[in-house]
């Protein structure tokens, strides 16, 4: 499953990492709206400790914008916060990291620690 890296810094900067095989159990859920179209613009992930949004684009600013917009949408869907309030909450509670800068594609992921949403 995917591109397994046994060791890599926080943000892939060249094509080289310690490549490894991946085994495990994965659950993929495709949420569809009426008419069968996907509900999410981009994939989201969840770990035991965090909710994760992602943004990918050749421009790092646009990748960040994508991860941020997805996090705002996630927060709005789980709370009674407006988009503006969720935007402000992101500055207070979400950690954004550069995922990669290789292969012409930049990546950013946002991590929201579970338990921070009310």
């Amino acid at each position: 499953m995917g591109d397994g890296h046994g060791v890599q810094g926080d943000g892939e900067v060249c094509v080289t990492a310690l490549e490894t095989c991946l085994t495990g159990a994965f659950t993929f859920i495709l949420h569809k709206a009426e008419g069968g179209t996907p509900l999410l613009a981009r994939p989201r992930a969840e770990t035991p400790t965090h909710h994760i949004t992602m943004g990918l684009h050749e421009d790092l600013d646009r990748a960040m914008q994508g991860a941020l917009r997805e996090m705002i949408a996630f927060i709005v869907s789980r709370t009674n916060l407006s988009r503006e309030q969720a935007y402000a909450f992101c500055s207070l509670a979400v950690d954004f990291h550069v995922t990669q800068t290789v292969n012409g594609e930049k990546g950013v992921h946002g991590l929201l620690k579970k338990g921070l949403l009310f």
Side-chain angles (χ1 to χ4, degrees), residues 3-80:
D3 180 19
H5 292 177
V7 175
Q8 174 186 313
D10 189 12
E12 186 177 3
V13 296
C14 75
V15 185
T16 303
L18 182 60
E19 303 291 334
T20 186
C21 294
L22 291 175
T23 59
F26 298 88
T27 302
F28 296 93
I29 302 168
L30 179 59
H31 300 275
K32 292 185 178 183
E34 289 184 33
T37 57
L39 286 174
L40 304 175
R42 292 183 174 86
R44 294 180 185 160
E46 183 176 343
T47 70
T49 59
H50 289 83
H51 298 285
I52 304 168
T53 60
M54 301 166 221
L56 294 166
H57 196 275
E58 62 188 25
D59 179 271
L60 187 57
D61 289 334
R62 302 261 319 258
M64 174 61 195
Q65 184 181 61
L68 173 60
R69 286 181 176 173
E70 286 299 311
M71 186 59 76
I72 291 168
F74 173 77
I75 292 167
V76 167
S77 74
R78 296 286 183 102
T79 68
N80 291 325

